[in-house]
Amino acid sequence: QVQVVESGGGLVQAGGSLRLFCAASGSFLMLSAMDWYRQAPGKQRELVAILTSSNMTNYADSVKGRFTIARGGAKNTMYLQMNSLKPEETAVYYCKAERPDRDYWGQGNQVTVSS
């Protein structure tokens, strides 16, 4: 079993920055990737960024150049640095930990960007 916990959301003005954190714990040897998704009201959940076990990253086109996904200081932690935030990026942000056999989701963290 894997537990995934996010933190760091909140309210920010348009153009501002926030950093989200994710930590995965439990009985596993290795995660194949850790990802960030977001879901805005009335919309489908969408992929924001991926960080693989080999430290490769990939981003949604809409966040390239503004968001950075990277490993945290502790094992199986990572963060999402979000800069130049836009009101339309108001959403619940979810961390997903990928194991070869299944995925584990965090509870979600609200990010609100005011105009």
Side-chain angles (χ1 to χ4, degrees), residues 13-16 62 66 83-90 112-114:
Q13 287 189 330
S62 60
R66 299 185 297 118
N83 298 328
S84 302
L85 282 160
K86 305 173 183 179
E88 56 265 37
E89 294 179 309
T90 293
T112 301
V113 185
S114 64

Side-chain angles (χ1 to χ4, degrees), residues 88-102:
E88 56 265 37
E89 294 179 309
T90 293
V92 177
Y93 284 69
Y94 296 89
C95 177
K96 185 178 78 172
E98 296 186 32
R99 225 172 59 176
D101 56 334
R102 62 166 289 182

Side-chain angles (χ1 to χ4, degrees), residues 54-90:
S54 57
N55 290 323
M56 292 184 66
T57 60
N58 198 12
Y59 298 90
D61 287 342
S62 60
V63 307
K64 284 180 181 177
R66 299 185 297 118
F67 288 16
T68 301
I69 188 171
R71 298 203 178 277
K75 188 178 179 182
N76 296 317
T77 64
M78 60 93 166
Y79 65 87
L80 182 70
Q81 176 67 39
M82 305 184 291
N83 298 328
S84 302
L85 282 160
K86 305 173 183 179
E88 56 265 37
E89 294 179 309
T90 293

